[in-house]
């Protein structure tokens, strides 16, 4: 196994906000707390320890551990995971958290990268701060209701789609969705992957997760545990009344004082002022109301509260009573979920993708207003997995690693120019033409200025002509070098499906079929979260 790395900026697949953050540019520093390096984690430990203790830390730890133990009752957990759950009661234990949707059979490959990042960071912190304990935690997004995003996975260029029968739970939180209809996906999946030893393991995981559990939350917990239990991963479903009860004061502030709107809006405008694209626009109330088959936002009009597009309403007094009696019915949206997470967890660091970090950057002032410690933000590991054969192809084609990440037409044009036996760069001719026209401009100035526009038009026409000839010559050379061009395109299509990053498209099963039980250890050995690099791994 061999690993090479690029900066995130060199890949051309990450936003300027993410790359500027990783470069620690001054204009981004106002949007986050401490930058992710080992020394800063010492400061974060002290800050979180003080803040968490002063906000009922012992009670929160007790509720968290009790909830986890109940959720793990029917799970074949490892000693490492169970020990980590017990450790969470101690005020010297902290979590390193990543979160993800309940994608079918883990969804895109980066599901694994997120969790590996958390596991490896927890291990790094234990080496640096041995007097403390660090627990890698996966926060399941059970309250999400966007089923379309999670209802499929890709394998061998095919889409395996789950089409569940309509039920009274359709439209509500995805964690509560019955696993009905997944027998059909299992049959198609089984036929696709064959009968090798690795295929049999994949079938067993799928069958036990989705055909032997009643809902999507339980199925996902089973699968994530099977993949990462030996590393001590702890999996949390925070859609629990005891945990939500800890959140009641902030729920009331959000509903009755619009806790988040003004501060998030201010920080959103500040991001836009710096030229960055905003991930989420805040609403006046950033909470959903949930019941069976329903997760819909709450709105306020003239002192009364309503569930959007439904005939459910309350006075303030009635709503306060519902909150006290049924806190589980109130679900934070994408902007309030981080605050809920950091309120109930002794968490030091949130690990997420570029899009996730973008909305965390909108929240620092909200955390300050709520008096909750803002976590260190760490971009999850990203990687391109390739075979040794694919890497040998790249080297034979004389493509550098940064070039591999160019858009297909850019790479092919560059390579054709490089390997062609004639010069297909008309830059010098264009420069010469521009100089000639400068003399004509000077002549027109001295004689008749009305000719300036005519001279300009002729210059543009001739430069366009050179561009046209250059493109025709390049096209002709592509035909002449068709074999070389075809091999370049073929390699890129293999490594960048649908012209995007592999990790956002492929499912882990595609690689497990080939590498089996060696896959996850290889990722654990290769992906170093604090290196802050994009890795190219030859398996």
């Amino acid at each position: 196994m061999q690993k090479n790395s690029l900066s995130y900026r060199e890949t051309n697949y990450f936003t300027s906000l993410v790359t500027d953050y990783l470069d620690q540019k001054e204009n981004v520093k106002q949007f986050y707390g401490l930058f992710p390096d080992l020394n800063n984690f010492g400061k974060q430990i002290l800050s979180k320890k003080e803040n968490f203790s002063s906000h009922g830390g012992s009670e929160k730890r007790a509720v968290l551990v009790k909830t986890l133990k109940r959720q793990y009752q029917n799970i074949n957990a490892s000693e490492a995971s169970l020990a980590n759950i017990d450790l969470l009661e101690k005020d010297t234990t902290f979590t390193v958290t990543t979160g993800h949707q309940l994608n079918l059979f883990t969804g895109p490959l980066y599901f694994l990268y997120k969790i590996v990042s958390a596991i490896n960071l927890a291990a790094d912190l234990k080496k640096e701060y041995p007097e403390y304990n660090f627990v890698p935690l996966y926060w399941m997004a059970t309250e999400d209701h966007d089923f379309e995003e999670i209802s499929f996975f890709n394998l061998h260029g095919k889409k395996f789609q789950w089409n569940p029968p309509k039920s009274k739970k359709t439209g509500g939180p995805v964690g509560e969705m019955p696993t009905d209809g997944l027998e059909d996906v299992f049959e198609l999946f089984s036929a696709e992957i064959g009968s090798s030893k690795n295929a049999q393991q994949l079938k067993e995981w799928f069958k036990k997760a989705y055909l032997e559990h009643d809902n999507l939350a339980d199925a996902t917990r089973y699968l994530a545990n099977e993949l990462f239990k030996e590393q001590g991963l702890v999996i949390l479903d925070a859609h629990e009344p005891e945990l939500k009860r800890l959140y009641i004061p902030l729920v009331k502030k959000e509903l009755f004082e619009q806790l988040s709107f003004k501060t998030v809006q201010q920080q959103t405008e500040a991001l836009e002022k710096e030229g960055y694209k905003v991930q989420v626009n805040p609403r006046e109330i950033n909470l959903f109301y949930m019941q069976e088959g329903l997760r819909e936002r709450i709105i306020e009009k003239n002192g009364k509260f309503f569930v959007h597009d439904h005939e459910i309403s309350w006075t303030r007094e009635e709503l306060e009573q519902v909150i006290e009696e049924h806190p589980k019915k109130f679900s934070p949206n994408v902007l309030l979920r981080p605050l809920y997470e950091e309120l109930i967890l002794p968490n030091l660091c949130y690990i997420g993708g570029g899009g996730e970090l973008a909305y965390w950057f909108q929240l620092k002032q909200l955390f300050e207003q709520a008096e909750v410690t803002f976590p260190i933000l760490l971009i999850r590991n990203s990687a391109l997995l390739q075979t040794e054969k694919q890497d040998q192809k790249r080297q034979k084609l004389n493509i550098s690693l940064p070039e591999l990440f160019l858009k297909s037409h850019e790479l092919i044009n560059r390579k054709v120019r490089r390997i062609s036996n004639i010069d297909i760069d008309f830059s010098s001719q264009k420069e010469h033409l521009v100089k000639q026209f400068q003399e004509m401009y000077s002549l027109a100035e001295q004689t008749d200025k009305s000719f300036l526009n005519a001279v300009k038009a002729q210059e543009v026409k001739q430069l366009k002509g050179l561009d046209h000839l250059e493109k025709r010559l390049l096209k002709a050379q592509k035909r002449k070098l068709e074999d070389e061009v075809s091999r370049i395109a073929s390699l890129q299509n293999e490594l960048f499906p649908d012209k995007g990053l592999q990790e956002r498209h492929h499912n882990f099963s595609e690689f497990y079929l080939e590498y089996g039980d060696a896959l996850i250890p290889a990722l654990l050995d290769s992906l170093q979260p604090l290196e802050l690099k994009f890795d190219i791994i030859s398996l």
Side-chain angles (χ1 to χ4, degrees), residues 431-446 452 455-456 459:
E431 288 176 12
H432 181 66
L433 185 66
V434 169
K435 286 179 182 177
Q436 286 184 317
F437 271 93
Q438 287 300 321
E439 294 175 8
M440 296 179 70
Y441 283 128
S442 178
L443 185 62
E445 282 276 1
Q446 296 173 35
L452 285 172
V455 173
K456 180 65 178 176
E459 180 187 22

Side-chain angles (χ1 to χ4, degrees), residues 83 115 212 346 364 444:
I115 293 177
E212 298 181 15
K364 186 168 179 282

